[in-house]
Structures are given as C-alpha cells and as structure tokens.
Amino acid sequence: MLPRHHDPIVAIATAPGRGAVGIVRVSGRGLEALAQALCGKPLPPRQACYLPFRDADGRPIDHGLAIWFPAPHSYTGEEVLELQAHGGPVVLQLLLARCLAAAAETDPASGRARLPGLRLAQPGEFTERAFLNGKIDLAQAEAIADLIDASTEAAARSATRSLSGEFSREIGILRDALIHLRMLVEATLDFPEEEIDFLQRADAQGQLQRLQAQLTQVLRKTRQGALLREGIRVVIAGQPNAGKSSLLNALAGAELAIVTPIAGTTRDVVQQAIQIDGVPLHVIDTAGLREGPGIDEVERIGIQRAWSQIEAADAVLFLHDLTRLGQPEYAAADAEIAATLAARLPARVPVIDVWNKADVADSADSGPGTGTAGEGLRLSAKTGAGLQALRQRLLALAGWQGADSGLYIARERHVQALRRVETHLQLAAAHLDAQAQALDLLAEELRLAQNALNEITGAFGADDLLGVIFSSFCIGK
C-alpha cells in the first residue's frame, strides 16, 4: 500500500444538495476517541444510537444516528464511523469540520491527538480501501460505481449481479482452469523425454479446448454487459429539412429539438440519451449537411461540428426525404454525402439509410426498392410508423442479443482483457499442436492469458490502473 492508504479519512458520503438525511463517514484505525468526542459516549458495535453530535463546547450541532463498525466488519475493512444527520449542506459541512477539528485535539485520557492525520477522502477512496483490504475485488468495486450511474433498470440489475460477485466467479472459474493447465504444462518442461506422452494422457488439448469454449461464453455475456453500461452513440445525419430533428424528438418521445420548414434551423448538436429494451442509446441530432452559397458562418460551424460527431459515432442514420426523391439536385447532394461518409468513416461504423416522411410521400411505392433508393428503412417521424423497426435495427447493429437473466454489467476494459486472453489461448493451441518444439512458448502464452484475467478482478494490477478506476467515483464512496 501507498503511505496515503494508512491515513484516516473523512468525507460527506451523500450527494450534494438538500436531503432528508446526510451521512458523514470516517474510516481508519482507532476511532473510539473521536467517536467519544463527537457523540459524548462510547458507541456499541454495529448499533444505531440516536444522540446529539456535539461541537467543541459541547453544544449540539444536530441530532441523528451514530454507528460504529469495528474492523474488519465494515465497508472498508477498517474501523468506520457513520454520522447520519439531517441532510442540509450547512449541517453536514459543520459535522465534517468538527470531525477534522476533534481529530487534531488532544484526548484528555491519552494526552495525544485523538486521530492524527485525519484528512478529507479523495474520490473513490473508501471503495479503494475496501478493495485493498480484500472486502471486494476490482470488478465488484467498479460495479458499485456502475450501479450508482446506471441509466436503465436492466443496467442496475446487471450491476447488482456484478456487485454480488457473479462476474468475478466466472472469471475465477476460468482462472482456476487456466492455472491447472499451466501447472500441467510447466511440470512437463522438467521431463522433456516424457512431456508429449504426459500431456496426451492428461488431455491437455481437451482442457485447452474446454477453456476456450468457456471463454467464448463469458466473452459473449461480457460484451452484452458492456453494451448495457456504455450504450452506443447514434448520429442522425442528412440534408437540411430531411426530418432529423423530428426523428430525434420521435425517438426521445419529447420535443427536444426545434422543428421548422426553414433550412438550417438546427445550428448545433442536440443530444439525448434514450433506452431501447434497457440498452442506452445516445442519439445526436446534427446540422443539415450542405455546401454552396447561402450558408452563414454560424451554420458553417454547425456543419463542421456535425461531421465531428459523425466521425465519433458507433452508428449513423443517413436520413433521406421521400418527398424529394427523384429531384436531381437532391439526389446529387445525397450521393455526395454518401461518398463523404464512406471516405471519412471507419469500415466498422454502420450507416443505415432511413427514408422519412412516408406519411406525405407522393406514392406508396416510392423509396427503397425503386432503383436508386437502395435498401433502407421507411418511416414517418411525424406519425411514428416504422420507428419500432428502426429501434430493432439499432439493437441488432449494436450486437444486442436480448435480455439475459444472468447478465452482469461489464466495462470495455473487461472486454479488451478477455479478447487478449482469447488471443493468447489461440496462440497456445497452435504451440500445443507443434508439441515438443514449442512447449516453452505454450507455457508463456498461458501465463500471459492468466495475467490478462487477473487484471479484471485486480488479483494484480498497476497503481496507475487503480488510480484511473477509483478517481471516477464520487467523494465519500
């Protein structure tokens, strides 16, 4: 541990602003003297005591509940003192200041400071200590933040499963199988004249194949869990007056963007988070894409921002206007946008052609399938016809395979780590096929695969990785 991990810490553990209840949390070693100064009496373990919280002169700051958790039976694994008061910002700041002052005061019984070195906690430091003290692993720690930040019911339930350790248990099963195979392979390196027969008798190849099959299942669920957490960025692009803002409003179910028949109404980026079957989608409306005279400086900046959003998208909805289908100038501008999209977007980013204004199109057979329109989805942002098909197409492109009762929340770093495991196991299989000529390389690939698995739960990890993860937490958590 770093030296700062031994300091006692204190913070307001509830969200900023007014509330019915607010919590000030202290974690460290030897909190009894501080608790005595604040509460006026010793506290029994793990019992809520209603009493006044006193200032330096013995006057009550507030009345509330005090709970003392002896180590190691606490959230952080250290001694923890929680003061539950009324949730006014001033009251909580007074309690926080009193904790810091009382810690520095001399305790009459011992003649020393009550809690030397007490300082304000950094973001995520309480949870970081829970991880460092073995109360939770790294995946569970991340699940706490994901549960707080969950934007959908499915994401919240999946985060709860990760917090309970379901994801970690699956990673543990993979790691145990990998360790068993590593021990088998490395043991044979000491007996080169018998290693091939030994590996064949122990069914090393079968073990590796089963391990790869298990990994495939875990990776599938992890991708789905990451999708629940991260969602996808969907950008609506197209010429002015194609109905981009109307489509955003229809998908969001609210009037978020201004809609007028005037070209260039949308000048800036408008973004809204929605959910489809529990999957968060970040839908972005952009300025109409066009060139030529009549574009003022503000609209030009809006168009530049639109292309910036398009280039950062996970999927692009290229919106076409059915009422202008067949007009040469409109078709030429659409073709130019399509060519630019093909040139500027990575191949992995799908572009969905969406044909809008089906409710006012001249004929029922105009649009997709009439030659130049090509394939796409036909809808009306005004009436809502065709919106459900668009939603399902977006989910399919994102790789969503439907709700799974056993799904757990995951992060992109978990997906990347499992992909590295997959790569190392593929190389290990190739070395195993080569038999005696490459068993040392086989052992190395299995070691690297185990290291990648360990990164997920924090069985080992660099301090900078921990810093990035816990700094994203709120203060007091």
Side-chain angles (χ1 to χ4, degrees), residues 104-182:
E105 293 171 356
T106 301
D107 179 26
S110 66
R112 298 191 300 270
R114 291 192 178 97
L115 193 60
L118 179 67
R119 59 172 175 81
L120 293 174
Q122 298 178 5
E125 193 168 2
F126 288 95
T127 303
E128 183 181 18
R129 292 194 177 194
F131 164 71
L132 293 171
N133 291 323
K135 304 295 290 186
I136 53 176
D137 63 33
L138 195 54
Q140 290 174 296
E142 291 171 307
I144 294 171
D146 294 336
L147 181 59
I148 294 171
D149 295 335
S151 58
T152 69
E153 180 182 351
R157 292 185 181 277
S158 298
T160 300
R161 281 190 284 271
S162 287
L163 179 56
S164 69
E166 289 190 22
F167 182 34
S168 301
R169 279 191 289 274
E170 295 215 32
I171 297 301
I173 291 171
L174 284 174
R175 184 172 56 245
D176 290 345
L178 185 53
I179 290 173
H180 184 270
L181 184 56
R182 277 192 66 195

Side-chain angles (χ1 to χ4, degrees), residues 182-317:
R182 277 192 66 195
M183 292 173 59
L184 178 67
V185 172
E186 293 183 8
T188 64
L189 295 177
D190 295 329
F191 305 97
E193 67 280 359
E194 300 178 5
E195 57 191 10
I196 300 304
D197 290 340
F198 182 74
L199 289 176
Q200 289 175 347
R201 289 195 303 271
D203 191 25
Q205 191 164 40
Q207 289 188 41
L208 181 55
Q209 290 172 349
R210 288 189 292 273
L211 184 57
Q212 289 176 299
Q214 290 173 341
L215 175 64
T216 299
Q217 294 300 317
V218 174
L219 186 53
R220 180 191 67 81
K221 293 173 70 174
T222 305
R223 288 195 194 103
Q224 297 289 285
L227 185 59
L228 270 182
R229 179 183 185 273
E230 308 288 347
I232 60 172
R233 288 173 55 85
V234 179
V235 176
I236 307 173
Q239 295 189 56
N241 278 352
K244 297 183 298 300
S245 297
S246 297
L247 181 56
L248 171 66
N249 292 342
L251 288 171
E255 296 295 322
L256 302 173
I258 299 173
V259 177
T260 75
I262 302 172
T265 297
T266 301
R267 299 297 187 96
D268 206 349
V269 172
V270 180
Q271 181 171 337
Q272 178 65 23
I274 65 173
Q275 59 168 296
I276 303 175
D277 292 351
V279 178
L281 267 69
H282 310 285
V283 184
I284 301 164
D285 177 27
T286 59
L289 304 175
R290 62 173 175 168
E291 298 292 340
I295 302 177
D296 59 33
E297 185 61 24
V298 175
E299 186 178 358
R300 193 178 305 280
I301 293 172
I303 293 172
Q304 292 174 352
R305 291 184 177 180
W307 279 112
S308 297
Q309 293 293 331
I310 290 168
E311 291 172 345
D314 296 314
V316 175
L317 301 182

Side-chain angles (χ1 to χ4, degrees), residues 408-425:
Y408 38 70
I409 206 76
R411 298 189 172 199
E412 185 59 29
R413 81 169 190 91
H414 303 151
V415 177
Q416 295 301 323
L418 289 173
R419 283 177 176 158
R420 293 204 308 276
V421 176
E422 185 177 44
T423 299
H424 290 308
L425 292 186

